[in-house]
Amino acid sequence: VLGFHSASNTAALAVRVVHDFNRTVGVIYSGLTLCASAVSIAMITVAVIVVDPLVALAAATVLCATYAIVYSLVRHRLVRNGTITTRHWKSRAQLIAESFAAIKDVIVHRAQPAMVEEMTRHSAAIAAAQASTPAIAASPKYVLECITAAGLVAAALWLHGTAGAGRWLTHLAFLSFAAYRLLPAMQQVFATLAGMQAERVAFEGILDGLRWG
């Protein structure tokens, strides 16, 4: 334990306890949300398969493939956002600690503008990274809504030609309701995975501290 504390920066430890711990709690909470959304998706998918297996297979393929492609494209950016947030939080905490420790020298040498500029730079980097992650998490929503609307139109045309006169409208109403409930659940899963990926750096930092301790 003494070796861990002697080898660790005090400001970095303060950030890990105050900031990274809250981010880790967010990862755990996101995991619970992910499980609940996955159960909802599974139940809706089973219901659609019972009604129309072909439409269910096509919809699942398109939605899952779209989310998988988007996730593969943004995964590294999310990790980068988490790394930037952690690094600048540590640098900002260290700057605050050093400025208070040497406050007399800061005032005498009139170094306040330089320290304010450095603090502004760290804060801007943190704000940009934290604003980017929710934007990335919400990015597939509107594209998938357009794809779902087009899919419902295609399903209406296909059902009108294959199902009976009294059945196709009922099937379409059910598929529309299923899509209305399925799309938010899938978006929730994607947003949760995106948030967990962005906070992975903080989670790994907490684990490293526990192993040292």
Side-chain angles (χ1 to χ4, degrees), residues 31-117:
L32 298 176
T33 305
L34 179 64
C35 292
S37 299
V39 171
S40 299
I41 291 172
M43 295 179 66
I44 295 172
T45 303
V46 169
V48 176
I49 289 175
V50 171
V51 174
D52 199 320
L54 184 60
V55 173
L57 179 62
T61 302
V62 171
L63 293 176
C64 292
T66 303
Y67 275 114
I69 292 171
V70 174
Y71 184 75
S72 65
L73 292 175
V74 303
R75 184 168 59 90
H76 295 294
R77 177 65 184 274
L78 293 169
V79 175
R80 180 168 163 265
N81 286 344
T83 303
I84 289 173
T85 301
T86 299
R87 185 175 71 248
H88 283 280
W89 262 99
K90 290 179 181 178
S91 299
R92 190 170 69 173
Q94 185 173 357
L95 178 64
I96 292 172
E98 290 174 354
S99 63
F100 279 115
I103 188 64
K104 292 182 180 179
D105 294 332
V106 171
I107 295 174
V108 169
H109 295 287
R110 298 184 178 181
Q112 298 98 318
M115 303 199 77
V116 169
E117 183 179 353

